[in-house]
Amino acid sequence: MTGERMDRGMTRVPEKRLQEIVDDFGEMERLWNRRIIFITNKRKVVAHAEWQGSDIVVTKLRRPEKTKLQVGQVLYEGYRPPPELPPRPEIRVDGWRLIRNAQYDSTQAAKPDPFWEEYEGWFLIPDKINGGDGLEEYLFDYPELLAGDTPSYRTLELKELNADSLRMAAFSEVDAYVCGRTEQVPALLPFVPPKTNEVVLYRPSVCSCGCGNFEGWHRYWENKWIVYVPRAKSPL
């Protein structure tokens, strides 16, 4: 559990229900703002416990002969930062291609993409990733692009395009603009092939219970950049 606690006095907890309570998020929310937690046995207080950082620790025994608790015993262990992580697995890429959701329509956003009239926005994915087909790996992580009767994605071979005609912009800037979080028009930059970790990388997974235990590495498509491909000019 995280956040700032406010001192709201004391509460009582039966010793026989301690484990049940610390395993229940709703019950723990009730304890979060309590300064002192009285531990009871047959309605008599046998021990005191208090928050120490993100832990609940026994601080005093009132009736040591009536309890199995010990001073200093941790009743609830809060969030712990993950231990030193093992080395991040290497991602090897060979070549790039472009992909976009064919169903995307900039007019559905709060504000249209400012470059929408002249360009189509695409994401980069590797031709090959760790020896496997990059498109196949991408679709494995985004199966919604395969839903329906026909695939809802398009691809372009980057090597078949004139790199001098391409532009790029930070996805975070474009997203903030089209979602209405800023009025700042994103910077449109000359295209420069990105670093691998700006497209795809491995991120650590930690246990969702809050203990911080490292569970492994998962592949994450960073896609830091939108690559803008000029729209075909209409014939005169």
Side-chain angles (χ1 to χ4, degrees), residues 19-36:
Q19 190 60 51
E20 174 188 344
I21 288 171
V22 299
D23 289 340
D24 187 305
F25 184 79
E27 292 274 15
M28 287 301 298
E29 280 194 313
R30 180 172 64 88
L31 300 183
W32 181 240
N33 291 325
R34 303 304 180 183
R35 179 171 56 87
I36 297 178

Side-chain angles (χ1 to χ4, degrees), residues 179-195:
C179 292
R181 297 194 301 273
T182 180
E183 296 298 321
Q184 181 66 44
V185 176
L188 191 62
L189 307 171
F191 174 74
V192 176
K195 299 176 182 178

Side-chain angles (χ1 to χ4, degrees), residues 31-49:
L31 300 183
W32 181 240
N33 291 325
R34 303 304 180 183
R35 179 171 56 87
I36 297 178
I37 301 166
F38 292 135
I39 313 298
T40 64
N41 188 343
K42 296 182 179 179
R43 299 187 178 182
K44 293 185 177 180
V45 177
V46 296
H48 296 186

Side-chain angles (χ1 to χ4, degrees), residues 4-234:
E4 182 179 352
R5 291 194 304 278
M6 298 174 61
D7 182 1
R8 293 185 178 175
M10 300 162 283
T11 192
R12 291 176 173 240
V13 173
E15 183 176 350
K16 64 181 180 180
R17 292 195 61 228
L18 272 174
Q19 190 60 51
E20 174 188 344
I21 288 171
V22 299
D23 289 340
D24 187 305
F25 184 79
E27 292 274 15
M28 287 301 298
E29 280 194 313
R30 180 172 64 88
L31 300 183
W32 181 240
N33 291 325
R34 303 304 180 183
R35 179 171 56 87
I36 297 178
I37 301 166
F38 292 135
I39 313 298
T40 64
N41 188 343
K42 296 182 179 179
R43 299 187 178 182
K44 293 185 177 180
V45 177
V46 296
H48 296 186
E50 298 180 18
W51 286 95
Q52 293 185 1
S54 59
D55 299 341
I56 298 178
V57 180
V58 177
T59 56
K60 180 180 180 180
L61 298 182
R62 288 267 293 270
R63 293 179 173 84
E65 73 282 358
K66 300 292 185 180
T67 180
K68 297 180 181 180
L69 300 174
Q70 300 292 325
V71 172
Q73 182 176 341
V74 177
L75 304 179
Y76 171 79
E77 187 174 77
Y79 173 78
R80 294 287 187 275
E84 184 177 352
L85 299 178
R88 189 189 301 267
E90 179 185 7
I91 287 185
R92 294 174 287 103
V93 305
D94 182 18
W96 298 105
R97 72 178 76 180
L98 298 169
I99 188 168
R100 73 185 305 271
N101 188 337
Q103 297 179 353
Y104 175 74
D105 181 357
S106 177
T107 61
Q108 298 177 10
K111 291 188 294 187
D113 185 319
F115 314 118
W116 188 250
E117 295 298 323
E118 295 185 54
Y119 297 94
E120 278 189 342
W122 297 71
F123 285 121
L124 276 169
I125 60 174
D127 279 330
K128 296 288 184 181
I129 179 169
N130 290 341
D133 183 85
L135 177 60
E136 186 175 306
E137 297 295 335
Y138 187 81
L139 295 175
F140 178 83
D141 292 335
Y142 293 97
E144 61 270 20
L145 295 177
L146 293 172
D149 296 331
T150 57
S152 61
Y153 67 89
R154 294 164 52 201
T155 62
L156 279 176
E157 294 292 333
L158 185 63
K159 59 189 176 184
E160 296 176 0
L161 299 172
N162 178 6
D164 292 337
S165 70
L166 304 179
R167 297 294 181 266
M168 62 195 298
F171 172 76
S172 59
E173 294 181 11
V174 177
D175 184 62
Y177 180 83
V178 302
C179 292
R181 297 194 301 273
T182 180
E183 296 298 321
Q184 181 66 44
V185 176
L188 191 62
L189 307 171
F191 174 74
V192 176
K195 299 176 182 178
T196 299
N197 63 6
E198 294 178 328
V199 176
V200 59
L201 47 75
Y202 285 115
R203 282 188 170 180
S205 294
V206 297
C207 181
S208 59
C209 78
C211 67
N213 287 336
F214 173 72
E215 293 189 331
W217 296 97
H218 73 278
R219 186 171 58 205
Y220 178 78
W221 296 88
E222 181 74 14
N223 280 327
K224 180 178 179 179
W225 301 99
I226 296 178
V227 177
Y228 284 101
V229 177
R231 292 184 182 275
K233 300 294 183 182
S234 299

